[in-house]
């Protein structure tokens, strides 16, 4: 685990890291443009931190990662009680990645599986991810990454399929690692995805890899960089859009949506609105909800991101009113659950605790790991639990059970 355990509230983590840095509450407040009283209330839990951009400012002032303040676990418990994140780290940081020349003889001796079979395995991985099966994805990623590296080593100038498969594999790794709070490893995987995409000489593969990189940048709190990358990749795709290719439209749309999230998290309302509108135009050109290259892109996903960015911008009442009205049943489980978590968080922020809990429990039924290992869920459940009578008695209630499964009990 990172410096502080998961049992602390976010305000208590702020207090811990502030003390470790030798800062007073006034000093921290000055660094983030807030009052000493504001810092005191945050640390005591009297004021909730609603906006991710404020959490990002605090993390920078305290010189820690966002995940340190959110209490994200580095290691994930799976249904099998295995933990394959160290194996993913080993696969990403294997010495043979440092020099193909030095390790060429060892690579040549390995049995490289056929590219077609490797491609199918990667697509199965994406299928599992979209259906919320994080345990399965994490378990399979070390082998997929090793296979991708073998394909890179055996690729030729005339046969670049291996590079494209590697890009898709490392994109999957980056996205999954971002989801579970492994921001540093996600960045390594995203960089590998971008490098392999460059080598594939396929503009759609490169656009998809850029989407992975925006995920990694968002996980690290580098919102300005995420906006720049997303906009650059979207403009670079212009030649691919002339024929209204559905794959290109879907990738463009997701780039716009991920960039909109980055803009919202740096609290740029104008840029967020513009990027959502651009994504909406791509969705209209696409003609409906689809799942090209596991994007889940279409009008419904645009609406989910519109609501998510409004929540990041602080428009809680808007999300409370309109969030429950969106029917996302036709989207992959990962997208549906992310939306349900957004609605639950908004409901919690207006103290509609019973409704918030119901949304979280419904989301958990769809994809347990996506809920139980989500830092936003953990903070929401802690807030619900503290306000509940259950916090003064036995935990044998639906809320108490969820708190225990999310490791949110204080």
């Amino acid at each position: 685990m990172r410096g502080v355990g998961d049992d602390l509230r976010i305000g208590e983590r702020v207090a811990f890291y502030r003390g470790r840095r030798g800062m007073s509450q006034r000093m921290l407040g000055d660094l983030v443009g807030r009052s000493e009283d504001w810092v005191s209330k945050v640390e005591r839990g009297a004021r909730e931190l609603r906006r991710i951009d404020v959490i990002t400012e605090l993390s920078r002032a305290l010189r820690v990662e966002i995940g340190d303040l959110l209490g994200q676990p580095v290691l994930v418990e799976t249904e099998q009680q295995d933990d394959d994140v160290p194996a993913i780290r080993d696969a990403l940081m294997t010495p043979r990645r440092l020099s193909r020349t030095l390790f060429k003889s060892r690579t040549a001796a390995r049995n490289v599986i056929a590219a077609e079979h490797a491609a199918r395995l990667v697509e199965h991985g994406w299928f599992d991810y979209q259906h919320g099966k994080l345990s399965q994805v994490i378990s399979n990623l070390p082998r997929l990454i090793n296979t991708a590296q073998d394909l890179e080593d055996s690729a030729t100038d005339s046969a670049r399929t291996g590079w494209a498969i590697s890009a898709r594999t490392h994109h999957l790794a980056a996205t999954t690692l971002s989801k579970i709070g492994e921001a540093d490893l996600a960045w390594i995987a995203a960089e590998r995805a971008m490098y392999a995409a460059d080598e594939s000489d396929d503009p759609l593969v490169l656009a998809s890899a850029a989407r992975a990189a925006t995920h990694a940048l968002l996980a690290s709190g580098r919102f300005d960089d995420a906006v720049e990358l997303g906009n650059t990749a979207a403009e670079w795709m212009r030649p691919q859009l002339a024929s209204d290719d559905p794959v290109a439209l879907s990738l463009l749309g997701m780039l716009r949506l991920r960039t909109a999230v980055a803009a919202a998290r740096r609290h740029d309302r104008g840029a967020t609105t513009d990027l959502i509108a651009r994504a909406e135009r791509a969705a209209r050109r696409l003609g409906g909800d689809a799942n090209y290259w596991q994007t889940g892109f279409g009008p419904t996903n645009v609406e989910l991101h519109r609501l998510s960015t409004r929540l990041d911008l602080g428009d809680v009442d808007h999300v409370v009113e309109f969030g429950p009205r969106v029917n996302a049943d036709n989207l992959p489980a990962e997208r549906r659950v992310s939306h349900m978590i957004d609605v639950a968080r908004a409901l919690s922020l207006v103290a509609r605790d019973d409704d918030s809990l119901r949304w979280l429990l419904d989301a958990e039924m769809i994809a347990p790991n996506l809920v139980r290992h989500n830092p936003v869920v953990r903070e929401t459940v802690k807030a619900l639990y503290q306000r509940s009578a259950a916090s003064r008695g036995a935990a044998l209630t639906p809320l108490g059970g969820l708190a225990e499964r999310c490791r949110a009990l204080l």
Side-chain angles (χ1 to χ4, degrees):
M1 297 295 172
R2 295 189 178 99
V4 186
D6 292 334
D7 56 338
L8 299 183
R9 290 180 289 100
I10 186 170
E12 292 172 316
R13 293 189 199 100
V14 170
F16 172 86
Y17 287 113
R18 177 181 59 75
R20 201 162 129 183
R21 298 296 182 204
M23 294 182 185
S24 66
Q25 290 179 337
R26 180 184 293 273
M27 289 170 62
L28 178 57
D30 288 343
L31 287 173
V32 296
R34 306 278 176 163
S35 67
E36 180 180 359
D37 181 62
W38 182 89
V39 175
S40 175
K41 287 179 178 177
V42 166
E43 293 183 349
R44 289 185 283 111
R47 175 185 287 273
E48 289 191 66
L49 291 173
R50 298 188 174 194
R51 287 168 29 193
I52 192 68
D53 62 311
V54 176
I55 299 173
T56 302
E57 287 180 12
L58 284 168
S59 71
R60 288 172 179 165
L62 294 167
R63 302 197 301 280
V64 297
E65 296 290 337
I66 294 178
D68 294 326
L69 293 187
L70 292 175
Q72 290 178 301
V74 174
L75 306 182
V76 172
E77 300 173 14
T78 69
E79 292 96 343
Q80 298 83 18
Q81 297 304 308
D82 294 329
D83 176 21
D84 293 296
V85 172
I88 297 174
R89 181 182 294 108
D90 290 343
L92 287 171
M93 301 180 71
T94 178
R96 70 188 180 104
R97 291 307 303 255
L98 300 176
S99 172
R100 284 199 168 85
T101 301
L102 290 177
F103 290 90
K104 186 175 181 180
S105 59
R106 294 189 189 181
T107 302
R110 297 166 69 94
N111 293 320
V112 182
I113 68 173
E116 294 79 6
H117 181 52
R120 286 195 296 272
L121 291 176
V122 175
E123 297 315 306
H124 281 308
W126 274 106
F127 178 88
D128 287 339
Y129 173 81
Q130 287 200 311
H131 284 75
K133 299 178 181 179
L134 284 186
S135 299
Q136 191 66 33
V137 177
I138 292 168
S139 177
N140 290 331
L141 269 173
R143 185 175 69 255
L144 292 174
I145 292 170
N146 285 326
T147 297
Q149 293 170 0
D150 288 342
L151 290 171
E152 287 184 10
D153 291 340
S154 61
T156 64
D157 290 340
S158 59
R160 297 181 175 270
T161 304
W163 288 108
I165 296 170
S166 179
R168 291 283 288 158
T169 301
H170 286 93
H171 180 176
L172 175 63
T175 301
T176 302
L177 291 164
S178 296
K179 186 71 78 173
I180 63 173
E182 287 281 358
D184 292 343
L185 286 180
W187 175 252
I188 294 174
E191 188 274 335
R192 298 272 170 80
M194 291 291 289
Y195 179 81
D198 277 335
E199 293 294 324
S200 77
D201 200 27
D202 185 326
L204 296 180
V205 173
L206 184 55
S208 182
R211 179 180 159 215
T214 60
H215 274 283
L217 289 166
L218 281 169
S220 300
R222 295 171 57 184
F223 306 136
D224 290 345
D225 291 337
V227 170
E228 180 181 4
L229 174 62
N231 285 335
T232 300
E235 291 303 315
W236 182 82
M237 284 188 66
R238 282 185 180 275
Q240 309 302 318
L241 300 168
S243 61
D244 279 352
D245 174 17
V247 173
L249 285 170
S250 297
L251 291 172
L252 172 69
M254 287 309 301
L255 281 169
R256 295 299 192 194
L257 291 179
R258 298 314 299 167
T259 309
V261 171
R265 290 184 181 177
R266 69 179 188 183
H267 224 61
D268 187 339
R269 187 178 294 272
T272 301
T273 302
D274 176 64
L275 288 162
I276 291 290
R278 289 171 182 259
E280 193 168 36
R281 289 196 290 272
R284 285 199 298 268
R285 289 173 67 183
L286 184 64
D289 294 326
N291 195 31
Y292 295 102
W293 275 29
Q294 287 76 40
T295 56
F297 181 69
T300 304
N301 207 349
V302 172
E303 186 57 31
L304 297 191
H305 278 78
R306 192 194 311 277
L307 289 164
S308 182
T309 54
R310 291 291 293 266
L311 184 58
D312 283 333
L313 289 167
D315 301 336
V316 178
D317 290 339
H318 178 90
V319 178
V320 167
E321 180 179 357
F322 294 101
R325 303 182 188 181
V326 179
N327 184 350
D329 290 345
N330 60 327
L331 293 188
E334 182 273 331
R335 282 282 80 228
R336 299 201 310 273
V337 167
S338 294
H339 171 62
M340 295 169 81
I341 291 171
D342 282 340
V343 173
R345 179 171 171 243
L347 289 165
S348 171
L349 290 173
V350 296
R352 286 177 52 181
D353 291 0
D354 290 342
D355 292 334
S356 177
L357 176 61
R358 177 173 55 82
W359 277 82
L360 289 175
L361 291 174
D362 288 347
E364 187 187 28
M365 290 182 65
I366 297 172
N369 276 347
L370 286 176
V371 173
R372 295 170 188 171
H373 300 298
N374 185 301
V376 171
V377 170
R378 214 161 23 245
E379 289 299 318
T380 300
V381 170
K382 285 177 185 176
L384 296 177
Y385 195 78
Q386 286 182 320
R387 294 196 293 260
S388 169
S391 64
R392 296 187 293 275
L396 298 179
T397 64
L399 174 58
L402 179 60
E404 188 170 322
R405 292 190 295 276
C406 294
R407 299 164 65 186
L409 287 173
L410 298 179

